[in-house]
Amino acid sequence: MRITITCEEDRISASEEVVARKLAYENRFDDNCVTISQIAKPYHMEPADLNSFLCDKKVQRKADGRYYLQPKYCGKGYAADRRRYYFTKDGRLKYTTNLVWTEKGRELIERMLKNNF
């Protein structure tokens, strides 16, 4: 798709449209997903502590500054990737990716926590 930009207002409008389409497409699976912070809160845990616990239990690993599911847990509906798009100062579109947990994944974590304590 080619967008013709004639003024700054058109540029902003076109940028918002691109971001909205990308977010809608990328996040279509994670509407009911929760963050690690949301799971940790009822247990009075810090998100970093829960992430560390999951790494110790070999559920996930950390690489390149983010968490990934271990192969044993991939493709089983426990988690999804959530992308957040943003523009750099020079106008380039970039994104960050975070691991979010489905209800099935949340239940797995809660079972592991209950069995551990």
Side-chain angles (χ1 to χ4, degrees):
M1 176 177 167
R2 189 168 184 90
I3 300 173
T4 304
I5 298 172
T6 56
C7 67
E8 189 64 26
E9 190 173 301
D10 287 345
R11 179 186 306 242
I12 292 169
S13 178
S15 299
E16 289 172 350
E17 183 182 324
V18 168
V19 171
R21 275 197 319 253
K22 285 188 174 288
L23 280 173
Y25 177 77
E26 295 294 340
N27 295 333
R28 67 191 182 280
F29 300 117
D30 70 1
D31 288 340
N32 297 318
C33 292
V34 293
T35 64
I36 199 72
S37 300
Q38 293 169 300
I39 298 171
K41 189 174 183 174
Y43 293 94
H44 306 288
M45 293 179 75
E46 292 294 321
D49 294 335
L50 184 51
N51 276 324
S52 179
F53 171 79
L54 293 173
C55 287
D56 291 346
K57 295 291 185 181
K58 306 285 190 238
V59 174
Q60 66 183 15
R61 64 183 170 81
K62 188 172 185 177
D64 301 324
R66 65 172 290 237
Y67 291 96
Y68 298 89
L69 286 181
Q70 292 285 14
K72 177 180 176 181
Y73 296 95
C74 286
K76 296 188 177 175
Y78 293 124
D81 285 335
R82 181 180 287 166
R83 286 189 179 179
R84 297 287 179 227
Y85 288 89
Y86 63 95
F87 286 96
T88 62
K89 290 181 182 180
D90 61 358
R92 291 183 295 138
L93 181 63
K94 290 193 151 200
Y95 65 88
T96 59
T97 306
N98 295 318
L99 186 68
V100 291
W101 296 89
T102 62
E103 187 59 35
K104 185 177 177 181
R106 178 187 207 140
E107 291 169 0
L108 171 74
I109 293 170
E110 289 174 350
R111 277 194 312 273
M112 294 177 99
L113 287 168
K114 287 177 184 172
N115 290 337
N116 198 54
F117 295 111

